[in-house]
Amino acid sequence: MSLTPLITVYVATHNRAKLLIRAVESVLAQTYSSIELIVADDGSSDDTYQQLLPLIESGKISYVKNEIPQGACVARNKAIAIAKGEFITGMDDDDAMEPNRVEHLLKEFLAGEYSCIASSIKERTPQGDIVRKMDVGDVHLDDLLHYNILGNQVLTKTENLRAIDGFDPEMPAFQDYDTWVRLVSKFGVAKKSSIASYVWFTDH
């Protein structure tokens, strides 16, 4: 394996161009340079494409779109299907990454035998940041079945995510939780890092 394997970051979006740009910029500002960024547009009718066009034309991001909205799971799966990275992770369009997030998640993954790596989160509120560190360390299937310890994003091998058929569009809710349960069930123990590298905005 390369010392700097390609990592795909996918961001599903729908009609939130302004927030999306913040998310995209946080990926482009990562300390880890070998990143493929895919924006999966779930039928946006705002100016999302126009806002992204300079980045698309410069080759900094790839862009795929469902012409008719079909839900975030379908959009994510579209990105997963074309991902070139050996590893893959996602982000919601209204959140952001700390600059060291991708580098740190990969380091944690390579340090052990894990199905996936999650992190603690930094909740950004109008009153300031709140760091949420709960249930850090190894996460076994029995632990995960109690509730979604891992949160809404993980880093894993792209082939692993494809092996479980990605996200289930038939799930009415908890699509991320369902995906992590299937991932851990098939590929073994996960890990949640104490480093809060995912920024969760709640001000909007």
Side-chain angles (χ1 to χ4, degrees):
M1 187 186 71
S2 168
L3 294 175
T4 55
L6 182 65
I7 298 177
T8 297
V9 178
Y10 60 85
V11 183
T13 191
H14 177 73
N15 285 343
R16 293 205 280 200
K18 185 176 180 180
L19 296 175
L20 173 65
I21 294 301
R22 179 180 64 191
V24 164
E25 288 177 344
S26 77
V27 179
L28 297 177
Q30 289 295 295
T31 56
Y32 189 84
S33 60
S34 187
I35 291 177
E36 171 193 45
L37 174 54
I38 302 175
V39 174
D41 187 343
D42 187 37
S44 292
S45 57
D46 65 358
D47 63 343
T48 290
Y49 179 75
Q50 288 74 21
Q51 291 286 334
L52 294 176
L53 190 56
L55 296 173
I56 297 169
E57 291 181 337
S58 68
K60 291 183 178 180
I61 70 170
S62 297
Y63 176 85
V64 291
K65 183 176 183 179
N66 297 325
E67 292 305 323
I68 299 172
Q70 300 177 64
C73 288
V74 173
R76 292 181 190 123
N77 288 343
K78 200 163 190 173
I80 293 165
I82 64 169
K84 298 175 183 175
E86 180 179 353
F87 295 90
I88 192 165
T89 188
M91 181 171 60
D92 290 346
D93 62 358
D94 56 343
D95 294 328
M97 293 182 172
E98 292 286 23
N100 68 333
R101 175 171 173 79
V102 171
E103 183 177 4
H104 174 69
L105 291 179
L106 178 63
K107 183 178 179 181
E108 291 286 333
F109 190 96
L110 297 178
E113 298 291 331
Y114 296 110
S115 59
C116 60
I117 303 292
S119 80
S120 299
I121 65 170
K122 185 178 291 183
E123 181 180 352
R124 186 148 294 167
T125 75
Q127 291 74 39
D129 290 349
I130 303 169
V131 175
R132 301 196 179 277
K133 299 181 182 181
M134 294 178 61
D135 300 301
V136 298
D138 289 359
V139 179
H140 298 269
L141 181 60
D142 286 347
D143 305 318
L144 191 57
L145 290 176
H146 287 285
Y147 75 100
N148 186 7
I149 292 171
L150 297 176
N152 66 335
Q153 306 293 343
V154 304
L155 177 136
T156 188
K157 287 188 173 181
T158 305
E159 63 185 20
N160 290 358
L161 200 49
R162 288 175 178 156
I164 62 166
D165 297 322
F167 293 83
D168 184 354
E170 300 302 316
M171 286 288 290
F174 303 110
Q175 297 97 337
D176 49 359
Y177 185 21
D178 166 72
T179 306
W180 314 152
V181 167
R182 289 185 285 114
L183 194 61
V184 171
S185 178
K186 187 173 182 66
F187 294 104
V189 62
K191 182 178 180 180
K192 184 174 182 181
S193 169
S194 63
I195 302 297
S197 60
Y198 191 88
V199 184
W200 179 39
F201 289 86
T202 56
D203 55 350
H204 61 282

